Amino acid sequence: MKTISYEIIEQVSLDLAELKEFDAQKMVHSFGELQPVLMEYLASFGTDEEVNFTEGENEVLFFIGVTLWRAMSSQGAIRSVTEEALVDIEEKVFDELELYDAESGEDFDEFIEKTYSEKYDQYPLLEYVLDSVFDALDDEELGVSEDSAGLMIGYLKTCIDVLSAHGE
């Protein structure tokens, strides 16, 4: 799948933010029909025993995830994600992210840039994820914790990678 540009990400994000409730429901329904595994993945964190995000964290995660799907699907067909592929990619993503050592004094943004900027085809999407999650972290109304923000970045990078792997 070709790299999704910053312009496409910004336009999709703006379009989604402006949707009326009825249109948003239709879009979420379409997402669930086209990507049922990914929909369940993004919607499950409020009910998962290991990861129990707040309502605000769930909303942020879901909105960013849908934005990723819309941006990527706007550039070509994406085959339906399988549970097996999702699990495999999630494991790889979290193995990569575990290489970050907060004790080293390195900024997380620097770690991401050093690790992905040169070799990651979907770096603009990853930057969108980072910006969106860190913006949500700064918004007290959403109640996103630092621990949750780190997990959200991993789950959303998983979405990028699995959608990219299923793109045509």
Side-chain angles (χ1 to χ4, degrees):
M1 170 170 269
K2 72 179 192 171
T3 301
I4 306 303
S5 71
Y6 294 103
E7 293 80 17
I8 291 169
I9 299 164
E10 185 174 329
Q11 187 59 55
V12 167
S13 182
L14 290 172
D15 290 347
L16 289 178
E18 293 176 0
L19 283 179
K20 303 240 185 289
E21 185 176 344
F22 177 75
D23 293 327
Q25 289 174 353
K26 283 181 16 185
M27 190 269 312
V28 169
H29 180 75
S30 176
F31 175 53
E33 284 186 345
L34 295 169
Q35 293 294 341
V37 171
L38 198 56
M39 170 95 161
E40 183 179 332
Y41 180 73
L42 289 170
S44 70
F45 295 110
T47 59
D48 190 299
E49 290 179 18
E50 293 178 34
V51 180
N52 197 5
F53 289 152
T54 66
E55 185 177 335
E57 291 167 340
N58 279 325
E59 289 173 7
V60 169
L61 180 76
F62 193 79
F63 179 80
I64 297 169
V66 170
T67 303
L68 296 172
W69 166 71
R70 285 291 295 248
M72 296 177 84
S73 63
S74 75
Q75 299 304 296
I78 299 176
R79 296 183 313 278
S80 189
V81 169
T82 65
E83 189 171 342
E84 181 180 334
L86 186 66
V87 169
D88 289 347
I89 288 175
E90 181 185 67
E91 186 175 311
K92 289 175 188 167
V93 165
F94 278 91
D95 285 348
E96 291 170 357
L97 293 177
E98 283 179 7
L99 297 175
Y100 173 67
D101 180 11
E103 305 289 320
S104 72
E106 180 180 33
D107 186 60
F108 187 71
D109 285 342
E110 291 171 9
F111 167 77
I112 293 292
E113 185 173 344
K114 179 180 74 178
T115 306
Y116 297 110
S117 67
E118 295 295 319
K119 62 180 179 174
Y120 189 58
D121 289 344
Q122 298 302 345
Y123 192 69
L125 286 170
L126 184 57
E127 281 191 317
Y128 165 74
V129 165
L130 293 172
D131 291 345
S132 298
V133 170
F134 290 140
D135 285 349
L137 188 60
D138 292 339
D139 185 336
E140 290 183 22
E141 286 183 36
L142 294 173
V144 175
S145 72
E146 285 189 29
D147 289 341
S148 294
L151 290 171
M152 290 167 73
I153 290 166
Y155 296 133
L156 292 163
K157 183 174 182 309
T158 298
C159 292
I160 295 169
D161 290 357
V162 76
L163 287 168
S164 189
H166 285 75
E168 296 179 7

